[in-house]
Structure formats: structure tokens, C-alpha cells
């Protein structure tokens, strides 16, 4: 009897350990990597192209030409392959994850007289994802960057309503690679971005110029032409080592640098053929997510789409329900704090309306 009792205790202990291990594994499954999150929610992207210069509308990475110099991206357009990439970043509160996606073009170009061109172009969106208990969360809405204006879109059934800013349309969703993805679209030449099909002249028809880009964790394809309907773009973490955010931090106190003219703005000049298609080539005119700004959205300031997306969302929308405005993860704020920046020691060109100490105060360790 004693041996039987010992065996039963041992079996029970083993079962408890196994159950604990399974529970731990299940918990791990509920915490996807940022790349997993970004890939799950990334847009299927309809890029309008213009036959005058298809490659001017291909999306790629900033250092597609092998360097981080901002003043040669226009010049090098035809000298390097334009493998497709899209940038992302993830920050997190207790109730939501906020994912920025952005698409880089070496040229913002035109063939219209008296229009304007400039070197470098980065426009994108903010995806608002509720942590609803599922592994990847539920997309509640997006805010897109269309030059100097932001536009809001929600999927059917979203509880979000217009707040200080109006909701501008309904997202179209499409199944791809095991999840539903919203559709976005960018203009040819100027590359303003909205939800599909709210801008541009490309809907995917066979008689239209355009490229359909699909998100990938690893694959970065080059379009076969300006009329390619299946091109994979590789997702790049903006926080990656030796990536875009790292270069901004390295130049934050010494602008202008090689990559950045000032905080949140790339360097860019009129070298090469910039300005040949029109009388004007503007210098230093492309912005990063922490430099994006809507010209007339009131109490939301330059760069908040990346730096403080919870505040932007709180202003733009009603119907948020349980909504946290402080961060358990925000690399933008954390890295600035860790580099010694604060309201008394600001990066050069920091927007005057944003109090950096207040931003730092929105960080917390746990829910």
C-alpha cells in the first residue's frame, strides 16, 4: 500500500508539472513577437503607378542603395534593385497595441508643370488594435497619412465613432496568409496614403497601372513591372539595430546629419534630376512617423502618431470603451529617456508643443 501511495503521489506531481508546462506554453502563445503582430495586421497595399516612371512608385527601404545618406536616394533610383519593404513599430498599453506602418519611396516626383518634387518620401498609417484576449487582438481602426493631413477609417462593426476628427470611410478587408488584412492604397508620384479605394486610380483592374504588395516576414521582391499584381514586401522593424530609429537617435543632438536634416525629417536636396520635371525641388521635405503631422487636428501635435498614439486615438475617436493612455512598452519614449533626453535637454528640432517630461511620465512597468 505504501508503494502504491508513493507512486500515486509521483504520478500526481508529474501531471502537475506537465500541466504547468502546458499552461506556460499557452501563455507564451498569447504573447506574439512584434513581427508576428505586424505581419498579422499588415495592410495589403495597392500602389498606383505612372507609366512615365514606374520605378518612382516602387516601395523600398531607405538604405536600398547600401547607405544611410539622405541626399543620394533620388540620384540612385535606377542604379539599385528596389526590393519591396515596409517599416513597422509596435507600442503597447494595457488595453491596446498601436502599430505604425510606413512605405518609403526614394522620390516624390511629378511630370506636371508647376507642381513640386522632393527627395525621399515616407507615408503610412497607424493601426489601432484592441487586446481582446485573442493572440493578435482585434483591429478597431486606422489613421492614414496623406501628405499634411490624416484620414481615419474603421472596419465594419467597429465600435469606434467620430470624435474630434471625422471617420472618413470603411476599411475593405481581405483574407491572406491566415488572417484578415485591411487594404490601403497610395497615389502615384506624390504617394499620399488612404484606405483602399479612397485615393489614386488603381483598383486592381487589368487595364490599370499598379502593383499589389502583400506583407511577408522575410521576402522582399522586386516588381516585374509597374503592373504586377503579386509582390511580397518584407516588414522591417523601425527599432532594429542599425535601423531608422537608431540613426535618428544618433543624430538627434547634431542635426543636420547624414540621414536627418532635423528631428523627424530626412535630409534631401536637389541633386540629380530633382526639379527637372517641374520648376521646384524642395529640400528636406520627407518626414518619419515621429515627424508626421496633420495641419489642422487641434490638440494632436507633430510626431504623436508614433510617440503618443494613445493620445491621438483618444482625441480622434469616441466609443473607445476601456482605454488606457499610458504605456507598458514604448521604445520611442524609453530610448529618449535612456539617452538622457528630457524637457531640459531636448533633441534638436523637437516639437515645442510636446512636453517630453510628460511623455516620459506615461511609461509604467505593469498593468
Amino acid at each position: 500500500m505504501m508503494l502504491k501511495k508513493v507512486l500515486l503521489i509521483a504520478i500526481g506531481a508529474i501531471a502537475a508539472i506537465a500541466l504547468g508546462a502546458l499552461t506556460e506554453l499557452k501563455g507564451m502563445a498569447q504573447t506574439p513577437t512584434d513581427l508576428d503582430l505586424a505581419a498579422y495586421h499588415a495592410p495589403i497595399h495597392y500602389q498606383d503607378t505612372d507609366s512615365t516612371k514606374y520605378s518612382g512608385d516602387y516601395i523600398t527601404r531607405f538604405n536600398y542603395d547600401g547607405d544611410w545618406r539622405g541626399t543620394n536616394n533620388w540620384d540612385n533610383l535606377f542604379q539599385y534593385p528596389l526590393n519591396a519593404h515596409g517599416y513597422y513599430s509596435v507600442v503597447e498599453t494595457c488595453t491596446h497595441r498601436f502599430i505604425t506602418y510606413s512605405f518609403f519611396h526614394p522620390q516624390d516626383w511629378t511630370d506636371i508643370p508647376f507642381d513640386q518634387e522632393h527627395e525621399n518620401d515616407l507615408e503610412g498609417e497607424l493601426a489601432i488594435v484592441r487586446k481582446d484576449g485573442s493572440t493578435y487582438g482585434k483591429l478597431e481602426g486606422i489613421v492614414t497619412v496623406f501628405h499634411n493631413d490624416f484620414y481615419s477609417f474603421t472596419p465594419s462593426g467597429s465600435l469606434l465613432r467620430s470624435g474630434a476628427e471625422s471617420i472618413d470611410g470603411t476599411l475593405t478587408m481581405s483574407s491572406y496568409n491566415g488572417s484578415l488584412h485591411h487594404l490601403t492604397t497610395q497615389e502615384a508620384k506624390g504617394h499620399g496614403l488612404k484606405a483602399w479605394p479612397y485615393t489614386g486610380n488603381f483598383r486592381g483592374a487589368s487595364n490599370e497601372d499598379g502593383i499589389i504588395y502583400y506583407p511577408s516576414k522575410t521576402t522582399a521582391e522586386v516588381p516585374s513591372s509597374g503592373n504586377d499584381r503579386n509582390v511580397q514586401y518584407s516588414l522591417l522593424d523601425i527599432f532594429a539595430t542599425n535601423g531608422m530609429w537608431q540613426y535618428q537617435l544618433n543624430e538627434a543632438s547634431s542635426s543636420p546629419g547624414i540621414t536627418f536634416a532635423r528631428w523627424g525629417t530626412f535630409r534631401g536636396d536637389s541633386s540629380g534630376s530633382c526639379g527637372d520635371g517641374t520648376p521646384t525641388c524642395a529640400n528636406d521635405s520627407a518626414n518619419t512617423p515621429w515627424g508626421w503631422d496633420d495641419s489642422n487636428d487641434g490638440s494632436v501635435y507633430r510626431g504623436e502618431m508614433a510617440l503618443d498614439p494613445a493620445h491621438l486615438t483618444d482625441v480622434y475617436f469616441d466609443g473607445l470603451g476601456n482605454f488606457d493612455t499610458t504605456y507598458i512598452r514604448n521604445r520611442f519614449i524609453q530610448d529618449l529617456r535612456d539617452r538622457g533626453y528630457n524637457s531640459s535637454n531636448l533633441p534638436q528640432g523637437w516639437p515645442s508643443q510636446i512636453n517630453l517630461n510628460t511623455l516620459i511620465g506615461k511609461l509604467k512597468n505593469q498593468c
Side-chain angles (χ1 to χ4, degrees):
M1 290 294 291
M2 181 61 70
L3 178 60
K4 182 177 181 181
K5 186 175 181 180
V6 170
L7 287 172
L8 287 173
I9 291 172
I11 291 170
I14 292 170
I17 292 170
L19 180 60
L22 286 172
T23 301
E24 184 177 350
L25 286 171
K26 184 178 180 182
M28 291 172 62
Q30 295 297 317
T31 309
T33 67
D34 285 351
L35 178 57
D36 289 338
L37 283 165
Y40 187 89
H41 291 289
I44 297 171
H45 191 58
Y46 282 60
Q47 175 64 64
D48 194 4
T49 62
D50 190 286
S51 59
T52 306
K53 184 168 55 177
Y54 282 142
S55 58
D57 298 317
Y58 291 1
I59 63 173
T60 189
R61 60 196 301 165
F62 183 89
N63 58 329
Y64 77 98
D65 55 356
D67 64 47
W68 283 88
R69 185 174 296 278
T71 54
N72 64 7
N73 282 327
W74 180 290
D75 313 53
N76 290 337
L77 181 70
F78 299 113
Q79 299 179 38
Y80 295 86
L82 298 171
N83 297 78
H85 290 85
Y87 291 95
Y88 73 91
S89 66
V90 181
V91 306
E92 184 176 1
T93 69
C94 292
T95 60
H96 285 77
R97 295 183 178 102
F98 299 92
I99 311 172
T100 65
Y101 297 98
S102 50
F103 298 106
F104 177 77
H105 299 82
Q107 299 182 1
D108 182 303
W109 65 283
T110 187
D111 54 7
I112 301 171
F114 307 110
D115 203 347
Q116 186 182 76
E117 298 181 325
H118 63 79
E119 188 164 34
N120 303 316
D121 198 16
L122 189 70
E123 302 191 37
E125 63 158 282
L126 171 69
I128 302 157
V129 178
R130 177 170 291 277
K131 294 157 69 172
D132 65 347
S134 63
T135 300
Y136 299 102
K138 181 180 181 180
L139 180 69
E140 293 190 318
I142 70 170
V143 181
T144 74
V145 179
F146 189 85
H147 309 307
N148 295 319
D149 293 289
F150 295 167
Y151 290 83
S152 303
F153 304 89
T154 55
S156 296
S158 174
L159 297 179
L160 298 190
R161 305 189 307 274
S162 295
E165 296 291 315
S166 299
I167 293 174
D168 299 290
T170 302
L171 290 174
T172 300
M173 308 295 289
S174 181
S175 181
Y176 173 71
N177 203 23
S179 63
L180 283 175
H181 296 257
H182 61 286
L183 273 55
T184 52
T185 185
Q186 277 185 283
E187 306 169 299
K189 304 178 185 178
H191 308 136
L193 189 148
K194 292 184 180 180
W196 183 92
Y198 292 95
T199 192
N201 299 310
F202 177 52
R203 305 292 183 268
S206 59
N207 63 339
E208 298 172 335
D209 290 340
I211 300 164
I212 304 178
Y213 288 102
Y214 291 86
S216 170
K217 295 179 183 180
T218 57
T219 304
E221 296 180 324
V222 179
S224 60
S225 71
N227 289 285
D228 196 330
R229 300 300 189 260
N230 194 333
V231 179
Q232 292 186 76
Y233 71 89
S234 179
L235 289 157
L236 293 175
D237 190 346
I238 228 163
F239 299 131
T241 303
N242 295 321
M244 188 180 291
W245 175 243
Q246 187 72 54
Y247 272 82
Q248 173 67 98
L249 289 176
N250 292 344
E251 296 184 3
S253 61
S254 57
S255 299
I258 292 173
T259 305
F260 293 93
R262 55 188 174 273
W263 178 259
T265 299
F266 293 116
R267 285 195 66 183
D269 63 17
S270 58
S271 61
S273 61
C274 186
D276 286 1
T278 182
T280 306
C281 178
N283 293 336
D284 308 334
S285 294
N287 297 313
T288 63
W290 52 95
W292 288 340
D293 192 22
D294 184 288
S295 57
N296 58 357
D297 62 351
S299 62
V300 177
Y301 302 113
R302 184 175 189 263
E304 286 196 76
M305 186 178 285
L307 298 169
D308 196 2
H311 177 247
L312 180 148
T313 301
D314 198 23
V315 171
Y316 271 48
F317 298 99
D318 288 337
L320 289 165
N322 182 28
F323 186 77
D324 187 15
T325 58
T326 55
Y327 300 97
I328 54 174
R329 285 198 308 141
N330 187 322
R331 277 282 303 276
F332 294 111
I333 305 174
Q334 291 164 343
D335 286 351
L336 285 167
R337 177 200 62 191
D338 294 346
R339 290 273 185 129
Y341 291 108
N342 53 56
S343 293
S344 300
N345 179 34
L346 293 169
Q348 290 187 20
W350 181 264
S352 60
Q353 302 94 334
I354 298 178
N355 186 300
L356 183 50
N357 284 353
T358 300
L359 266 188
I360 292 170
K362 293 185 178 185
L363 296 174
K364 60 186 178 182
N365 295 324
Q366 59 186 9
C367 295

